[in-house]
Amino acid sequence: MQVLRNANISMARMVMVNYTDEVNADIVLTIREISGVEIIVMVEDLRHSRFLSYAGASRVLSPKTMLGTFVAQISTPSCGECVFPGAVQLFGTLSLAEVPVFPGSPLAGRAISDPLLVQTGASVVGIWKRGEFTPRPSWDDILSSGTVILAVGDSEQLMRLRLLGAGDDKSRRFLVIGYGDVGQRLVRVLCEHGIIPVVVDRRDLTTDRFEHVMGDGYSEDVLIRAGIKDASCIMIMLNNDHDAIYATLVARNLNPDAFIIARANHLLSTEKLYRAGANYVASVPLVASKMLFTMVIPASEDLTILYEGLELRRYEVRRRSAMAHRTLKDLALIERFGCTAVAIDRTGDAILALSGETEILPGDVLALLGPPGSMDRFSRVFGDGG
């Protein structure tokens, strides 16, 4: 208790608690003895939520539940029309969102300059391929199945692009490996939107809501019985990262063409999952950090954490800024700093069609995307825009 007093808890606007559920309960009870401050608790096991509320938590959040919903929404537009999981608002109606290219998508095999993609109105600002990010890809770059597009647009533009990326999602076969907290939420959301997956879990699940194959999610025989070779989307939601990595290796070997989404409990596992064959890794710690970040940092702040090692920052160009009246080519963002411009807000009008000849004017708000180090280098040269 003295530690909390030494930390000036009486001056705190909010306290976030994120240990094991048992330790969290102890901490919350201790805080409530000396303060009425808002307490946000991250819960590991959903069954413990009510006990943490009884202890005095103001809000109990479950990153695992959020992750299950996130994976369902990103895997198919049917699970939330005009809902873009993980999207970040830029300015006005514009957002930055991820759009996966699934097997059977009409976008696969087409260049970024293809009219089918251009006519959506969304602007491609980057692409992910097995965890490797390419900012501002060339117009000649070819999209392939398994690519994840990072695009900017309003909800209608992004939805048109998302529908193309998904193809006919109702005809796709979904396989969910693991039925813990994350898997249960994922399956529930899919079923609610008319998508009935096959679920692999070592427990004997008594249900008629979906097809269940009992066994280990990393067993070749079990996965073959579950129809993995015909699956177009494989979601590996195992609770142990070692099991998830091995299951990803097995799944990719059995089905080279499927879109594989894997869950990571630890950020250090993310790269291994990509190397094992995942097209998209959904990280529990990253979901938790985003949830907390949005609570602590007001929406008006200029910094947004997108992913591990990737940030979005907004810079207001003041009259005497060294950026003013220079083109993007002059700034050489990628060459000098390793970041890229994704959009410009000019007196309320959003500019998406950026090129090397785009001139930066006083009053513009420039949205930049890149690793934290790149952003820091840019800030050292151009300050805060002023």
Side-chain angles (χ1 to χ4, degrees), residues 48-59:
H48 298 163
S49 297
R50 68 183 189 276
F51 303 117
L52 293 166
S53 295
Y54 295 157
S58 308
R59 277 186 284 181

Side-chain angles (χ1 to χ4, degrees), residues 104-178:
S105 165
L107 293 180
R110 295 179 185 263
I112 290 175
S113 59
D114 191 284
L116 185 66
L117 192 151
V118 174
Q119 288 168 8
T120 65
S123 175
V124 177
V125 299
I127 55 175
W128 295 91
K129 290 184 179 180
R130 297 278 185 91
E132 294 291 331
F133 181 68
T134 302
R136 280 290 169 193
S138 165
W139 280 88
D140 297 327
D141 281 357
I142 303 297
L143 297 175
S144 58
S145 176
T147 298
V148 179
I149 301 170
L150 195 60
V152 175
D154 61 29
S155 59
E156 292 183 1
Q157 293 168 334
L158 291 173
M159 195 62 195
R160 285 195 288 268
L161 182 62
R162 190 178 177 202
L163 288 171
L164 287 173
D168 184 8
D169 65 338
K170 289 294 185 180
S171 67
R172 287 192 278 134
R173 182 177 176 86
F174 290 78
L175 177 62
V176 177
I177 301 173

Side-chain angles (χ1 to χ4, degrees), residues 154-211:
D154 61 29
S155 59
E156 292 183 1
Q157 293 168 334
L158 291 173
M159 195 62 195
R160 285 195 288 268
L161 182 62
R162 190 178 177 202
L163 288 171
L164 287 173
D168 184 8
D169 65 338
K170 289 294 185 180
S171 67
R172 287 192 278 134
R173 182 177 176 86
F174 290 78
L175 177 62
V176 177
I177 301 173
Y179 197 64
D181 287 343
V182 179
Q184 288 180 38
R185 179 61 180 176
L186 164 60
V187 171
R188 177 181 174 183
V189 175
L190 288 175
C191 291
E192 286 174 351
H193 291 85
I195 298 172
I196 309 302
V198 177
V199 177
V200 173
D201 194 88
R202 62 180 54 170
R203 294 168 296 175
D204 184 8
L205 306 176
T206 305
T207 179
D208 57 2
R209 292 190 300 124
F210 51 81
E211 182 182 346

Side-chain angles (χ1 to χ4, degrees), residues 4 6 35 52 84 98 111 124 136 149 153 174 194 197 203 208 223 232 237 274 329 341 349 355 357 373 378:
L4 294 171
N6 292 342
S35 175
L52 293 166
F84 305 98
E98 294 174 316
V124 177
R136 280 290 169 193
I149 301 170
F174 290 78
R203 294 168 296 175
D208 57 2
L223 294 177
S232 53
M237 301 291 115
Y274 278 121
K329 183 178 180 180
D349 293 327
S355 70
E357 306 308 313
F378 181 88

Side-chain angles (χ1 to χ4, degrees), residues 34-53:
I34 57 176
S35 175
V37 68
E38 182 179 9
I39 304 175
I40 309 298
V41 180
M42 309 301 281
V43 67
E44 293 178 313
D45 188 328
L46 284 172
R47 294 172 298 181
H48 298 163
S49 297
R50 68 183 189 276
F51 303 117
L52 293 166
S53 295

